[in-house]
Amino acid sequence: MQSSLFRWRPEYRIRATREFKQIQRTGRKHRTAHLLGVVAQKDGPARFGFTVSKKVGNAVVRNRLKRLLREICRHEYSTVRPGTQIILIVHPNAALVSFNTLQSNVRSILNKLSA
């Protein structure tokens, strides 16, 4: 699947609180300077979820970070194995970093936890 043609569909998102809690309880974790990644395996397509707390900033900042993460994950989707469920938890210091820094953090998490 080419990343330029990939569309972020609802079945590729983790939204339910119980799913977030289950993945956080059973998944493998990897921390970078600005993100914490939690990965678990399940049948179905690869799915992503994002957690950005109010400690990160106001709604504008939090929504901007979620948009950036969605875009990064959209481009990296083809590198993720089907059935992988990934939660990215944003640290408060991530509000000040560039897109490239955030992208390298996501790639680091995907490389470490997809192996």
Side-chain angles (χ1 to χ4, degrees):
M1 179 178 317
Q2 293 178 339
S3 64
S4 62
L5 299 177
F6 177 74
R7 193 159 169 239
W8 199 256
R9 298 171 50 114
E11 58 264 21
Y12 303 137
R13 297 183 352 205
I14 302 168
R15 297 192 68 189
T17 302
R18 64 179 170 73
E19 288 182 292
F20 272 93
K21 288 182 179 179
Q22 179 191 12
I23 293 167
Q24 288 177 344
R25 200 172 44 249
T26 62
R28 295 185 353 233
K29 297 172 177 67
H30 179 65
R31 183 179 307 275
T32 64
H34 307 290
L35 298 171
L36 170 67
V38 184
V39 175
Q41 295 295 323
K42 187 177 178 182
D43 291 336
R47 298 170 66 209
F48 287 88
F50 309 105
T51 301
V52 185
S53 74
K54 289 185 178 182
K55 292 179 185 177
V56 174
N58 63 19
V60 174
V61 172
R62 293 191 313 267
N63 288 334
R64 177 183 168 273
L65 283 168
K66 286 187 275 189
R67 283 194 307 272
L68 289 174
L69 288 171
R70 276 196 301 269
E71 183 63 15
I72 292 166
C73 292
R74 184 178 75 86
H75 285 284
E76 298 295 327
Y77 191 85
S78 61
T79 66
V80 179
R81 287 187 305 209
T84 304
Q85 297 192 57
I86 301 167
I87 296 176
L88 297 173
I89 301 168
V90 179
H91 291 282
N93 61 358
L96 305 174
V97 300
S98 68
F99 177 83
N100 292 331
T101 304
L102 211 53
Q103 186 174 34
S104 68
N105 277 231
V106 171
R107 285 181 176 164
S108 171
I109 288 170
L110 293 177
N111 290 337
K112 179 76 174 180
L113 295 177
S114 294

